[in-house]
Amino acid sequence: MIDRRQFLSVSAAALGLPSSVLAQTAWPTRPVRVVIPYAAGGVTDSVGRKLAEHLGQQLGQALVVENKGGAGGTLGMADVARAPADGYTLALSAISPLTLSPHLGKLPYDPFKDIVAVAPMMYSPVYVLGTSALSATSWPELLARAKAQPGSIRMATSGMGSVGHIMLEQIQAQTGARFNHIPYKGVGQTVNDAAGGHFEVMLGNPFGTINGLIEQGRSARPTSPRCRRWPNWACPRPT
């Protein structure tokens, strides 16, 4: 974890100011707003809240977390882009709104001009998870069904333009299978609906809730590098 001096230095660089300026003004003198561009309950939200709590203790000032989910994270990042560039609005974002979404359509912000990266926070794999609604017992069987009955298998992601959505498109392009994409505003509600079997497959990052479902046997994921068969699960290896 970076200390106060390091954070001040990095923040100064992000704002285009020498670190001595922020040191002289004793930033922060009031609560700092942290935007999570996804709905509550997901891995970004979980990490963001823990980070805000710890960093707030280090800085001696509260960091207030706000969830602004929607459109694969672009709604929240647009809110950040509109905020004054005074160091009192931060965001914890996945790569999607900054590197993927600009290639998928017009955005209400320029990720190169309106958003400045401060520091990388984490790296996370993406799980392909089967729910109780999935009856296929192997990856080839799942793909065969998605080819024979295009759109009959629902695959949920955290939103349009998200990493999960890009992975879904990649799977379809490489295998010829066709899934029914179910985009959510974030992984929190997705996990709730997964537990209820509202769709067959989801793509999401591992975190406490998802790991808990796997341990309870209510969802399943592959093991790496080899796949193990789980009840109601298909190993995610293209054929």
Side-chain angles (χ1 to χ4, degrees), residues 5-233:
R5 181 175 299 177
Q6 291 173 317
F7 189 79
L8 289 172
S9 177
V10 171
S11 299
L15 297 172
L17 300 172
S19 58
S20 58
V21 172
L22 289 181
Q24 292 171 3
T25 57
W27 178 93
T29 59
R30 55 185 170 86
V32 178
R33 181 169 166 254
V34 180
V35 175
I36 305 294
Y38 307 99
V43 62
T44 306
D45 179 64
S46 178
V47 171
R49 291 183 181 277
K50 291 181 179 179
L51 173 66
E53 180 181 0
H54 187 78
L55 192 55
Q57 294 173 356
Q58 296 292 316
L59 296 174
Q61 187 60 257
L63 273 71
V64 181
V65 175
E66 294 184 16
N67 295 91
K68 291 186 175 293
T74 60
L75 293 184
M77 295 310 294
D79 182 74
V80 173
R82 290 191 296 266
D86 56 5
Y88 286 92
T89 300
L90 304 176
L92 185 66
S93 174
I95 64 172
S96 306
L98 303 176
T99 63
L100 299 179
S101 297
H103 299 283
L104 303 177
K106 186 176 180 179
L107 298 178
Y109 58 90
D110 186 329
F112 295 101
K113 297 179 180 179
D114 302 327
I115 305 293
V116 178
V118 175
M121 301 309 303
M122 67 176 184
Y123 298 92
S124 177
V126 177
Y127 285 167
V128 184
L129 300 160
T131 74
S132 59
L134 179 65
S135 59
T137 57
S138 69
W139 182 245
E141 181 183 353
L142 175 62
L143 293 179
R145 292 188 184 183
K147 291 177 183 178
Q149 299 176 313
S152 62
I153 297 177
R154 297 161 294 181
M155 184 174 289
T157 73
S158 58
M160 299 293 293
S162 65
V163 172
H165 182 198
I166 299 302
M167 290 183 62
L168 166 59
E169 296 299 334
Q170 186 178 31
I171 290 172
Q172 294 186 134
Q174 292 180 350
T175 65
R178 288 294 177 265
F179 295 90
N180 181 9
H181 181 209
I182 310 296
Y184 280 75
K185 289 185 177 181
V187 74
Q189 185 59 46
T190 313
V191 171
N192 291 335
D193 286 356
H198 292 187
F199 47 78
E200 288 76 23
V201 185
M202 70 169 286
L203 294 164
N205 301 94
F207 70 105
T209 306
I210 284 182
N211 293 339
L213 291 176
I214 294 172
E215 293 172 359
Q216 295 169 20
R218 299 175 65 184
S219 184
R221 67 171 177 84
T223 56
S224 179
R226 294 184 177 182
C227 283
R228 180 190 304 165
R229 286 197 178 187
W230 297 67
N232 296 323
W233 180 233

